[in-house]
Amino acid sequence: MYRRTRRAVVASLLASSVVCGGAVALAPSAGALAPSAGAAAPAASCTVTPGPNDTYVTISGEGFTGPRKLNDGESTVDLAIGPDGTFLVKRFQKNVDYTVLAVNEDQNFIFVNCKKVGAPQVPKPQNPQNTTPVQPGSRRDVAQGRAAGAQAGTAAAAKSCATKPVPDKSGAQHSDAYWQAWTQAANRSFNRVCNAG
C-alpha cells in the first residue's frame, strides 16, 4: 500500500507538470519536491527514536507544513503538525519503516522517510556508592559498622586501656546489624591494641 501511495502521488505530480508545461524536480536526498524560485525552503526531517525500555518508539519531525499523514507500510494516520512545523508521536510498532506523506499536491516534501536513531544515553553517576542508599542490615551496612567500630576501638585503646569503647548512637541512624558489627569490631580492635601493650 505504501509503494502504491508513493507511486500515485509522484505520477499525479508528473502528469500535472506536463499539462502545465513545467517540470517537477525531486530532491534526491530528502525524497521531496524542490522549492520553486525564490528562497530555499528549510529541509524537512523525521527521526525514529527507541524509548528507554525499548517498548515503543518516538517519532519526531520538523520543517513540515500541514496537513500530513504518517505511514508505517500498512496503515496511514493523520499527523498533528504544530505551527512551528514540528510533530511528536509515540507508536508501539518498533520494527517498521515510517514515512511522512503530504496530503495536498502543492506541499513541499511529498514524502520523507524517517531515519532511525539510537536511544539516548543516560549518564551514569560518577560515584554510585554515594548515590545508592545503604540498606539496613545489608552486607554494606554491616561492613560500614565493622570499619567504624575498628577505628573507634583503636582510638579508645590509644587513650586508655581502662575504658572500653562505647558507641555514640546520638548521630546518624543505623540498623541493629550495624551497631552489632560496630561493637564486635570495636572490642576486637581495643583488645588487640591493649593486649599487645
Side-chain angles (χ1 to χ4, degrees):
M1 176 178 176
Y2 163 65
R3 289 185 179 158
R4 274 184 274 148
T5 304
R6 182 183 290 187
R7 272 196 225 111
V9 171
V10 174
S12 64
L13 281 173
L14 293 175
S16 62
S17 69
V18 171
V19 170
C20 296
V24 175
L26 293 178
S29 60
L33 279 179
S36 56
S45 64
C46 173
T47 57
V48 179
T49 308
N53 54 2
D54 200 31
T55 57
Y56 64 89
V57 293
T58 300
I59 306 159
S60 59
E62 60 183 1
F64 291 100
T65 55
R68 295 283 170 167
K69 291 185 179 291
L70 181 68
N71 181 279
D72 62 12
E74 294 182 4
S75 63
T76 303
V77 295
D78 293 332
L79 272 177
I81 305 295
D84 59 352
T86 64
F87 70 86
L88 182 70
V89 294
K90 287 184 180 179
R91 297 290 296 270
F92 293 101
Q93 295 97 324
K94 297 180 293 179
N95 301 317
V96 298
D97 294 323
Y98 288 98
T99 303
V100 178
L101 303 172
V103 174
N104 303 321
E105 292 183 8
D106 60 347
Q107 291 175 287
N108 282 343
F109 310 109
I110 296 299
F111 54 87
V112 175
N113 294 322
C114 297
K115 181 182 178 182
K116 293 179 182 176
V117 297
Q121 295 294 322
V122 178
K124 294 182 179 178
Q126 294 296 327
N127 190 350
Q129 290 184 349
N130 291 341
T131 58
T132 306
V134 176
Q135 295 297 323
S138 67
R139 287 183 182 178
R140 206 166 126 206
D141 184 40
V142 170
Q144 287 180 354
R146 194 175 294 124
Q151 287 179 351
T154 303
K159 288 181 182 177
S160 169
C161 285
T163 308
K164 286 197 169 192
V166 178
D168 179 11
K169 297 185 179 180
S170 62
Q173 296 293 321
H174 292 291
S175 69
D176 290 340
Y178 173 95
W179 288 119
Q180 187 177 2
W182 188 99
T183 302
Q184 289 174 352
N187 289 336
R188 192 178 305 121
S189 177
F190 178 84
N191 291 336
R192 184 172 50 246
V193 172
C194 288
N195 291 338

